[in-house]
Amino acid sequence: MNALAATLDGLQDRILHGDGAIFVRGADAGHRLRIYADAYRLRLVEVLGNDFPATRDALGEEVFAAFVERYLHPHPSTRPSVRHLGSAFADWLESQIDAPRGLHELARFEWLQAAAFDAFDAPTLDVPDVAALAPDAWPQLRLHLHPAARLLDSFRLAIVEGAVTLADVDSPTRWLLWRDADGDVHWRKLEDDEADALHAINRDATFGELCERLATRHGDDAALRAASLLKRWLADGLLAADSIDSH
């Protein structure tokens, strides 16, 4: 290893972990190094605070910063972009015995929100597309969720004044996240039958199989329920246009 590489490695160790031997000329060398180290650390705390605002608010600024600093030791930034820095944050929070109950679920929800926002764009299925289908095509139709849609199971969260927050409840709820055509991310709780139907779509179930599933809950009203769900999914832009293009 040449001298420059050794110096850069020492600087990195000092900035990331506060350790490592590095020689810097001048009586105030330690002070100058701390400026870099503190600025770097505060920047990463800020980045994760922007990625997890509800989690930050639930903990408070100082406690959140302390959690982030602990997280960064086993999960330092390793990519040129900090967009992926928080990818393991929710799982890490789940392993921390001093983290508030359910906090990891809130963090995971927020990370999935960001994933929905960044997801690959694709045309959505519209009402005229399905209206043009022949009646005999419906039973074998396989709908596909849009790439920006996310299904979440077993989350203990609540909506308070339009924002998602922790909920002190024992029964988890099921959620849907998606990005609309304007780039806004939305969420809502799902009834069990709708959640099961959307999961069935993800497993490549046909529309006929979807109706059969709904019939176990709704009996003779299954077709009406299926039509109601489909109408809402189309309005929300949850279905990909290739549901029809590929058949």
Side-chain angles (χ1 to χ4, degrees):
M1 180 182 295
N2 60 41
L4 176 59
T7 299
L8 292 176
D9 284 345
L11 179 61
Q12 176 176 280
D13 288 340
R14 176 66 66 87
I15 291 174
L16 292 179
H17 307 301
D19 51 27
I22 179 170
F23 175 75
V24 178
R25 295 182 183 276
D28 61 345
H31 174 68
R32 285 185 284 147
L33 284 173
R34 282 196 300 275
I35 291 175
Y36 279 104
D38 290 346
Y40 179 78
R41 174 182 56 81
L42 292 173
R43 173 56 181 150
L44 295 187
V45 171
E46 180 185 11
V47 166
L48 290 186
N50 291 333
D51 286 340
F52 302 96
T55 306
R56 179 196 59 207
D57 292 346
L59 286 171
E61 294 278 358
E62 292 186 5
V63 177
F64 177 78
F67 269 92
V68 168
E69 290 187 33
R70 284 164 49 190
Y71 166 74
L72 290 174
H73 277 279
H75 301 283
S77 179
T78 58
R79 302 190 188 187
S81 171
V82 292
R83 170 64 186 88
H84 307 282
L85 181 62
S87 61
F89 190 53
D91 289 340
W92 178 84
L93 279 175
E94 188 174 9
S95 70
Q96 304 306 299
I97 60 174
D98 57 338
R101 179 191 181 200
L103 187 70
H104 66 282
E105 294 180 358
L106 181 58
R108 186 167 291 122
F109 186 96
E110 293 193 283
W111 188 253
L112 289 172
Q113 273 188 288
F117 180 80
D118 291 342
F120 175 73
D121 198 11
T124 58
L125 191 65
D126 296 321
V127 173
D129 298 324
V130 298
L133 285 172
D136 60 356
W138 279 95
Q140 297 305 313
L141 176 65
R142 296 183 191 275
L143 301 170
H144 302 150
L145 286 182
H146 191 275
R150 298 287 185 275
L151 298 174
L152 291 68
D153 285 336
S154 301
F155 277 66
R156 294 176 175 85
L157 302 172
I159 299 176
V160 178
E161 297 181 354
V164 176
T165 185
L166 291 174
D168 186 17
V169 296
D170 292 326
S171 299
T173 51
R174 307 170 78 176
W175 295 73
L176 170 69
L177 285 170
W178 77 98
R179 185 190 68 224
D180 66 18
D182 295 325
D184 296 322
V185 177
H186 303 271
W187 60 81
R188 60 180 172 87
K189 291 182 182 180
L190 294 174
E191 298 292 334
D192 283 339
D193 64 338
E194 183 179 8
D196 290 342
L198 289 171
H199 277 294
I201 289 174
N202 261 352
R203 293 191 295 269
D204 210 28
T206 65
F207 191 76
E209 292 168 340
L210 203 65
C211 291
E212 290 176 5
R213 286 176 173 272
L214 291 170
T216 62
R217 295 176 182 268
H218 300 282
D220 294 340
D221 293 328
L224 183 62
R225 178 59 172 162
S228 175
L229 290 175
L230 179 59
K231 182 179 179 180
R232 181 163 195 179
W233 297 341
L234 292 171
D236 286 343
L238 296 180
L239 302 175
D242 66 1
S243 299
I244 290 179
D245 294 341
S246 61
H247 288 76

